[in-house]
PDB file of all heavy atoms in Angstrom:
ATOM      1  N   ARG A   1       3.723   8.419   1.003  1.00  0.00           N
ATOM      2  CA  ARG A   1       3.397   9.083   2.279  1.00  0.00           C
ATOM      3  C   ARG A   1       2.027   8.835   2.833  1.00  0.00           C
ATOM      4  O   ARG A   1       1.812   8.535   4.010  1.00  0.00           O
ATOM      5  CB  ARG A   1       3.523  10.662   2.179  1.00  0.00           C
ATOM      6  CG  ARG A   1       5.051  11.090   2.168  1.00  0.00           C
ATOM      7  CD  ARG A   1       5.089  12.608   2.429  1.00  0.00           C
ATOM      8  NE  ARG A   1       4.290  13.431   1.603  1.00  0.00           N
ATOM      9  CZ  ARG A   1       4.531  13.920   0.422  1.00  0.00           C
ATOM     10  NH1 ARG A   1       5.656  13.612  -0.186  1.00  0.00           N
ATOM     11  NH2 ARG A   1       3.695  14.685  -0.265  1.00  0.00           N
ATOM     12  N   ILE A   2       1.012   8.792   1.906  1.00  0.00           N
ATOM     13  CA  ILE A   2      -0.299   8.420   2.317  1.00  0.00           C
ATOM     14  C   ILE A   2      -0.383   7.048   2.935  1.00  0.00           C
ATOM     15  O   ILE A   2      -0.977   6.844   3.924  1.00  0.00           O
ATOM     16  CB  ILE A   2      -1.257   8.573   1.056  1.00  0.00           C
ATOM     17  CG1 ILE A   2      -1.410  10.033   0.674  1.00  0.00           C
ATOM     18  CG2 ILE A   2      -2.629   7.941   1.314  1.00  0.00           C
ATOM     19  CD1 ILE A   2      -2.025  10.232  -0.687  1.00  0.00           C
ATOM     20  N   CYS A   3       0.220   6.069   2.273  1.00  0.00           N
ATOM     21  CA  CYS A   3       0.228   4.745   2.702  1.00  0.00           C
ATOM     22  C   CYS A   3       0.995   4.628   4.094  1.00  0.00           C
ATOM     23  O   CYS A   3       0.565   3.853   4.922  1.00  0.00           O
ATOM     24  CB  CYS A   3       0.856   3.815   1.724  1.00  0.00           C
ATOM     25  SG  CYS A   3      -0.245   3.560   0.311  1.00  0.00           S
ATOM     26  N   ALA A   4       2.076   5.369   4.232  1.00  0.00           N
ATOM     27  CA  ALA A   4       2.795   5.299   5.485  1.00  0.00           C
ATOM     28  C   ALA A   4       2.059   5.911   6.665  1.00  0.00           C
ATOM     29  O   ALA A   4       2.219   5.436   7.789  1.00  0.00           O
ATOM     30  CB  ALA A   4       4.127   6.025   5.341  1.00  0.00           C
ATOM     31  N   ASN A   5       1.111   6.878   6.401  1.00  0.00           N
ATOM     32  CA  ASN A   5       0.432   7.547   7.420  1.00  0.00           C
ATOM     33  C   ASN A   5      -0.963   7.171   7.662  1.00  0.00           C
ATOM     34  O   ASN A   5      -1.608   7.710   8.487  1.00  0.00           O
ATOM     35  CB  ASN A   5       0.570   9.070   7.198  1.00  0.00           C
ATOM     36  CG  ASN A   5       1.995   9.625   7.187  1.00  0.00           C
ATOM     37  OD1 ASN A   5       2.852   9.183   7.995  1.00  0.00           O
ATOM     38  ND2 ASN A   5       2.258  10.491   6.317  1.00  0.00           N
ATOM     39  N   THR A   6      -1.455   6.234   6.911  1.00  0.00           N
ATOM     40  CA  THR A   6      -2.865   5.786   7.000  1.00  0.00           C
ATOM     41  C   THR A   6      -2.886   4.271   6.864  1.00  0.00           C
ATOM     42  O   THR A   6      -1.972   3.572   6.612  1.00  0.00           O
ATOM     43  CB  THR A   6      -3.774   6.309   5.836  1.00  0.00           C
ATOM     44  OG1 THR A   6      -3.366   5.727   4.636  1.00  0.00           O
ATOM     45  CG2 THR A   6      -3.599   7.854   5.799  1.00  0.00           C
ATOM     46  N   ALA A   7      -4.141   3.729   7.178  1.00  0.00           N
ATOM     47  CA  ALA A   7      -4.281   2.256   7.033  1.00  0.00           C
ATOM     48  C   ALA A   7      -4.847   1.925   5.692  1.00  0.00           C
ATOM     49  O   ALA A   7      -5.394   0.894   5.415  1.00  0.00           O
ATOM     50  CB  ALA A   7      -5.239   1.802   8.139  1.00  0.00           C
ATOM     51  N   MET A   8      -4.751   2.870   4.733  1.00  0.00           N
ATOM     52  CA  MET A   8      -5.314   2.713   3.417  1.00  0.00           C
ATOM     53  C   MET A   8      -4.506   1.695   2.579  1.00  0.00           C
ATOM     54  O   MET A   8      -3.309   1.666   2.692  1.00  0.00           O
ATOM     55  CB  MET A   8      -5.370   4.055   2.640  1.00  0.00           C
ATOM     56  CG  MET A   8      -6.047   4.031   1.340  1.00  0.00           C
ATOM     57  SD  MET A   8      -5.958   5.558   0.453  1.00  0.00           S
ATOM     58  CE  MET A   8      -5.984   6.775   1.708  1.00  0.00           C
ATOM     59  N   THR A   9      -5.276   0.843   1.885  1.00  0.00           N
ATOM     60  CA  THR A   9      -4.666  -0.100   0.912  1.00  0.00           C
ATOM     61  C   THR A   9      -4.883   0.506  -0.513  1.00  0.00           C
ATOM     62  O   THR A   9      -5.919   0.929  -0.823  1.00  0.00           O
ATOM     63  CB  THR A   9      -5.435  -1.468   1.085  1.00  0.00           C
ATOM     64  OG1 THR A   9      -5.226  -1.946   2.319  1.00  0.00           O
ATOM     65  CG2 THR A   9      -4.841  -2.428   0.026  1.00  0.00           C
ATOM     66  N   LEU A  10      -3.792   0.371  -1.265  1.00  0.00           N
ATOM     67  CA  LEU A  10      -3.756   0.840  -2.708  1.00  0.00           C
ATOM     68  C   LEU A  10      -3.993  -0.425  -3.532  1.00  0.00           C
ATOM     69  O   LEU A  10      -3.370  -1.446  -3.365  1.00  0.00           O
ATOM     70  CB  LEU A  10      -2.529   1.490  -3.024  1.00  0.00           C
ATOM     71  CG  LEU A  10      -2.147   2.856  -2.448  1.00  0.00           C
ATOM     72  CD1 LEU A  10      -0.814   3.365  -3.050  1.00  0.00           C
ATOM     73  CD2 LEU A  10      -3.248   3.847  -2.784  1.00  0.00           C
ATOM     74  N   PHE A  11      -4.831  -0.264  -4.488  1.00  0.00           N
ATOM     75  CA  PHE A  11      -5.035  -1.267  -5.603  1.00  0.00           C
ATOM     76  C   PHE A  11      -4.747  -0.446  -6.847  1.00  0.00           C
ATOM     77  O   PHE A  11      -5.534   0.445  -7.250  1.00  0.00           O
ATOM     78  CB  PHE A  11      -6.424  -1.754  -5.610  1.00  0.00           C
ATOM     79  CG  PHE A  11      -6.714  -2.884  -6.612  1.00  0.00           C
ATOM     80  CD1 PHE A  11      -6.666  -4.202  -6.206  1.00  0.00           C
ATOM     81  CD2 PHE A  11      -7.008  -2.594  -7.899  1.00  0.00           C
ATOM     82  CE1 PHE A  11      -6.953  -5.190  -7.166  1.00  0.00           C
ATOM     83  CE2 PHE A  11      -7.227  -3.552  -8.847  1.00  0.00           C
ATOM     84  CZ  PHE A  11      -7.142  -4.935  -8.440  1.00  0.00           C
ATOM     85  N   ILE A  12      -3.634  -0.787  -7.515  1.00  0.00           N
ATOM     86  CA  ILE A  12      -3.195   0.050  -8.635  1.00  0.00           C
ATOM     87  C   ILE A  12      -3.132  -0.808  -9.913  1.00  0.00           C
ATOM     88  O   ILE A  12      -2.607  -1.827  -9.894  1.00  0.00           O
ATOM     89  CB  ILE A  12      -1.777   0.686  -8.399  1.00  0.00           C
ATOM     90  CG1 ILE A  12      -1.817   1.557  -7.164  1.00  0.00           C
ATOM     91  CG2 ILE A  12      -1.265   1.439  -9.595  1.00  0.00           C
ATOM     92  CD1 ILE A  12      -0.457   2.031  -6.769  1.00  0.00           C
ATOM     93  N   ILE A  13      -3.712  -0.281 -10.980  1.00  0.00           N
ATOM     94  CA  ILE A  13      -3.594  -0.873 -12.326  1.00  0.00           C
ATOM     95  C   ILE A  13      -2.600   0.055 -13.058  1.00  0.00           C
ATOM     96  O   ILE A  13      -2.858   1.238 -13.164  1.00  0.00           O
ATOM     97  CB  ILE A  13      -4.931  -0.917 -13.031  1.00  0.00           C
ATOM     98  CG1 ILE A  13      -5.861  -1.819 -12.276  1.00  0.00           C
ATOM     99  CG2 ILE A  13      -4.652  -1.425 -14.456  1.00  0.00           C
ATOM    100  CD1 ILE A  13      -7.273  -1.722 -12.721  1.00  0.00           C
ATOM    101  N   GLU A  14      -1.444  -0.459 -13.351  1.00  0.00           N
ATOM    102  CA  GLU A  14      -0.405   0.416 -13.963  1.00  0.00           C
ATOM    103  C   GLU A  14       0.582  -0.358 -14.883  1.00  0.00           C
ATOM    104  O   GLU A  14       0.823  -1.539 -14.517  1.00  0.00           O
ATOM    105  CB  GLU A  14       0.336   1.121 -12.785  1.00  0.00           C
ATOM    106  CG  GLU A  14       1.447   2.056 -13.200  1.00  0.00           C
ATOM    107  CD  GLU A  14       0.890   3.220 -13.948  1.00  0.00           C
ATOM    108  OE1 GLU A  14       0.160   4.047 -13.477  1.00  0.00           O
ATOM    109  OE2 GLU A  14       1.261   3.388 -15.184  1.00  0.00           O
ATOM    110  N   HIS A  15       1.044   0.284 -15.880  1.00  0.00           N
ATOM    111  CA  HIS A  15       2.027  -0.254 -16.776  1.00  0.00           C
ATOM    112  C   HIS A  15       3.439   0.169 -16.467  1.00  0.00           C
ATOM    113  O   HIS A  15       4.379  -0.421 -16.978  1.00  0.00           O
ATOM    114  CB  HIS A  15       1.671   0.041 -18.237  1.00  0.00           C
ATOM    115  CG  HIS A  15       0.411  -0.666 -18.745  1.00  0.00           C
ATOM    116  ND1 HIS A  15      -0.799  -0.061 -18.619  1.00  0.00           N
ATOM    117  CD2 HIS A  15       0.233  -1.907 -19.237  1.00  0.00           C
ATOM    118  CE1 HIS A  15      -1.712  -0.913 -19.094  1.00  0.00           C
ATOM    119  NE2 HIS A  15      -1.100  -2.007 -19.427  1.00  0.00           N
ATOM    120  N   ASP A  16       3.589   1.203 -15.767  1.00  0.00           N
ATOM    121  CA  ASP A  16       4.905   1.794 -15.401  1.00  0.00           C
ATOM    122  C   ASP A  16       5.551   0.947 -14.280  1.00  0.00           C
ATOM    123  O   ASP A  16       5.111   1.119 -13.101  1.00  0.00           O
ATOM    124  CB  ASP A  16       4.785   3.240 -14.987  1.00  0.00           C
ATOM    125  CG  ASP A  16       6.084   3.954 -14.685  1.00  0.00           C
ATOM    126  OD1 ASP A  16       7.057   3.203 -14.327  1.00  0.00           O
ATOM    127  OD2 ASP A  16       6.182   5.188 -14.630  1.00  0.00           O
ATOM    128  N   MET A  17       6.459   0.011 -14.628  1.00  0.00           N
ATOM    129  CA  MET A  17       6.983  -0.845 -13.613  1.00  0.00           C
ATOM    130  C   MET A  17       7.869  -0.222 -12.528  1.00  0.00           C
ATOM    131  O   MET A  17       7.984  -0.644 -11.437  1.00  0.00           O
ATOM    132  CB  MET A  17       7.754  -2.060 -14.236  1.00  0.00           C
ATOM    133  CG  MET A  17       6.782  -3.044 -14.979  1.00  0.00           C
ATOM    134  SD  MET A  17       5.553  -3.780 -13.822  1.00  0.00           S
ATOM    135  CE  MET A  17       4.108  -3.004 -14.164  1.00  0.00           C
ATOM    136  N   HIS A  18       8.485   0.928 -12.864  1.00  0.00           N
ATOM    137  CA  HIS A  18       9.225   1.704 -11.896  1.00  0.00           C
ATOM    138  C   HIS A  18       8.273   2.282 -10.851  1.00  0.00           C
ATOM    139  O   HIS A  18       8.550   2.214  -9.622  1.00  0.00           O
ATOM    140  CB  HIS A  18      10.030   2.808 -12.570  1.00  0.00           C
ATOM    141  CG  HIS A  18      11.071   2.331 -13.502  1.00  0.00           C
ATOM    142  ND1 HIS A  18      12.199   1.649 -13.001  1.00  0.00           N
ATOM    143  CD2 HIS A  18      11.194   2.418 -14.792  1.00  0.00           C
ATOM    144  CE1 HIS A  18      12.995   1.340 -14.038  1.00  0.00           C
ATOM    145  NE2 HIS A  18      12.360   1.772 -15.166  1.00  0.00           N
ATOM    146  N   PHE A  19       7.098   2.752 -11.288  1.00  0.00           N
ATOM    147  CA  PHE A  19       6.102   3.315 -10.402  1.00  0.00           C
ATOM    148  C   PHE A  19       5.591   2.177  -9.462  1.00  0.00           C
ATOM    149  O   PHE A  19       5.470   2.325  -8.297  1.00  0.00           O
ATOM    150  CB  PHE A  19       4.972   3.895 -11.250  1.00  0.00           C
ATOM    151  CG  PHE A  19       3.949   4.693 -10.488  1.00  0.00           C
ATOM    152  CD1 PHE A  19       4.148   6.026 -10.089  1.00  0.00           C
ATOM    153  CD2 PHE A  19       2.794   4.116 -10.055  1.00  0.00           C
ATOM    154  CE1 PHE A  19       3.224   6.725  -9.497  1.00  0.00           C
ATOM    155  CE2 PHE A  19       1.794   4.822  -9.433  1.00  0.00           C
ATOM    156  CZ  PHE A  19       2.064   6.145  -9.108  1.00  0.00           C
ATOM    157  N   VAL A  20       5.299   0.994 -10.110  1.00  0.00           N
ATOM    158  CA  VAL A  20       4.735  -0.105  -9.305  1.00  0.00           C
ATOM    159  C   VAL A  20       5.773  -0.587  -8.360  1.00  0.00           C
ATOM    160  O   VAL A  20       5.427  -0.825  -7.211  1.00  0.00           O
ATOM    161  CB  VAL A  20       4.367  -1.227 -10.290  1.00  0.00           C
ATOM    162  CG1 VAL A  20       4.021  -2.543  -9.530  1.00  0.00           C
ATOM    163  CG2 VAL A  20       3.138  -0.898 -11.193  1.00  0.00           C
ATOM    164  N   GLY A  21       6.998  -0.703  -8.781  1.00  0.00           N
ATOM    165  CA  GLY A  21       8.056  -1.232  -7.914  1.00  0.00           C
ATOM    166  C   GLY A  21       8.278  -0.352  -6.717  1.00  0.00           C
ATOM    167  O   GLY A  21       8.654  -0.812  -5.635  1.00  0.00           O
ATOM    168  N   ALA A  22       8.141   0.915  -6.897  1.00  0.00           N
ATOM    169  CA  ALA A  22       8.404   1.900  -5.747  1.00  0.00           C
ATOM    170  C   ALA A  22       7.228   1.861  -4.784  1.00  0.00           C
ATOM    171  O   ALA A  22       7.445   2.202  -3.582  1.00  0.00           O
ATOM    172  CB  ALA A  22       8.492   3.351  -6.293  1.00  0.00           C
ATOM    173  N   LEU A  23       6.011   1.441  -5.166  1.00  0.00           N
ATOM    174  CA  LEU A  23       4.873   1.455  -4.284  1.00  0.00           C
ATOM    175  C   LEU A  23       4.341   0.120  -3.764  1.00  0.00           C
ATOM    176  O   LEU A  23       3.837  -0.050  -2.753  1.00  0.00           O
ATOM    177  CB  LEU A  23       3.738   2.151  -4.991  1.00  0.00           C
ATOM    178  CG  LEU A  23       3.850   3.636  -5.088  1.00  0.00           C
ATOM    179  CD1 LEU A  23       2.731   4.137  -6.051  1.00  0.00           C
ATOM    180  CD2 LEU A  23       3.645   4.274  -3.771  1.00  0.00           C
ATOM    181  N   CYS A  24       4.433  -0.955  -4.608  1.00  0.00           N
ATOM    182  CA  CYS A  24       3.747  -2.093  -4.331  1.00  0.00           C
ATOM    183  C   CYS A  24       4.527  -3.248  -3.774  1.00  0.00           C
ATOM    184  O   CYS A  24       5.674  -3.514  -4.312  1.00  0.00           O
ATOM    185  CB  CYS A  24       3.063  -2.605  -5.668  1.00  0.00           C
ATOM    186  SG  CYS A  24       1.987  -1.386  -6.289  1.00  0.00           S
ATOM    187  N   ASP A  25       3.978  -3.921  -2.790  1.00  0.00           N
ATOM    188  CA  ASP A  25       4.609  -5.075  -2.152  1.00  0.00           C
ATOM    189  C   ASP A  25       4.278  -6.341  -2.951  1.00  0.00           C
ATOM    190  O   ASP A  25       5.017  -7.312  -2.871  1.00  0.00           O
ATOM    191  CB  ASP A  25       4.184  -5.157  -0.628  1.00  0.00           C
ATOM    192  CG  ASP A  25       4.516  -4.045   0.169  1.00  0.00           C
ATOM    193  OD1 ASP A  25       5.538  -3.485  -0.048  1.00  0.00           O
ATOM    194  OD2 ASP A  25       3.767  -3.678   0.941  1.00  0.00           O
ATOM    195  N   HIS A  26       3.140  -6.314  -3.505  1.00  0.00           N
ATOM    196  CA  HIS A  26       2.558  -7.481  -4.158  1.00  0.00           C
ATOM    197  C   HIS A  26       2.071  -7.098  -5.527  1.00  0.00           C
ATOM    198  O   HIS A  26       1.391  -6.071  -5.733  1.00  0.00           O
ATOM    199  CB  HIS A  26       1.413  -8.058  -3.293  1.00  0.00           C
ATOM    200  CG  HIS A  26       1.014  -9.343  -3.777  1.00  0.00           C
ATOM    201  ND1 HIS A  26       1.651 -10.528  -3.352  1.00  0.00           N
ATOM    202  CD2 HIS A  26      -0.004  -9.793  -4.588  1.00  0.00           C
ATOM    203  CE1 HIS A  26       1.039 -11.621  -3.807  1.00  0.00           C
ATOM    204  NE2 HIS A  26      -0.006 -11.180  -4.524  1.00  0.00           N
ATOM    205  N   VAL A  27       2.462  -7.827  -6.578  1.00  0.00           N
ATOM    206  CA  VAL A  27       2.033  -7.574  -7.947  1.00  0.00           C
ATOM    207  C   VAL A  27       1.332  -8.812  -8.597  1.00  0.00           C
ATOM    208  O   VAL A  27       1.765  -9.925  -8.339  1.00  0.00           O
ATOM    209  CB  VAL A  27       3.341  -7.312  -8.754  1.00  0.00           C
ATOM    210  CG1 VAL A  27       3.049  -7.002 -10.246  1.00  0.00           C
ATOM    211  CG2 VAL A  27       4.051  -6.132  -8.188  1.00  0.00           C
ATOM    212  N   VAL A  28       0.256  -8.497  -9.293  1.00  0.00           N
ATOM    213  CA  VAL A  28      -0.355  -9.558 -10.054  1.00  0.00           C
ATOM    214  C   VAL A  28      -0.327  -9.124 -11.555  1.00  0.00           C
ATOM    215  O   VAL A  28      -0.668  -8.019 -11.868  1.00  0.00           O
ATOM    216  CB  VAL A  28      -1.826  -9.735  -9.660  1.00  0.00           C
ATOM    217  CG1 VAL A  28      -2.557 -10.749 -10.557  1.00  0.00           C
ATOM    218  CG2 VAL A  28      -1.904 -10.139  -8.148  1.00  0.00           C
ATOM    219  N   VAL A  29       0.110 -10.086 -12.423  1.00  0.00           N
ATOM    220  CA  VAL A  29       0.162  -9.714 -13.852  1.00  0.00           C
ATOM    221  C   VAL A  29      -0.968 -10.509 -14.537  1.00  0.00           C
ATOM    222  O   VAL A  29      -1.090 -11.664 -14.365  1.00  0.00           O
ATOM    223  CB  VAL A  29       1.549 -10.154 -14.391  1.00  0.00           C
ATOM    224  CG1 VAL A  29       1.660  -9.836 -15.881  1.00  0.00           C
ATOM    225  CG2 VAL A  29       2.586  -9.501 -13.685  1.00  0.00           C
TER     226      VAL A  29
END
């Protein structure tokens, strides 16, 4: 919701791939 309503970019370090898949358009491993 935050990303949909703002111009904020998220940079996430995460091991939970379901979480990453639901949020991220681009992934770097």
Side-chain angles (χ1 to χ4, degrees):
R1 280 196 313 275
I2 291 167
C3 289
N5 297 323
T6 67
M8 187 184 324
T9 298
L10 291 179
F11 184 100
I12 301 174
I13 299 167
E14 182 61 64
H15 292 92
D16 181 340
M17 288 300 103
H18 295 291
F19 189 85
V20 170
L23 285 171
C24 301
D25 301 322
H26 192 82
V27 178
V28 175
V29 179

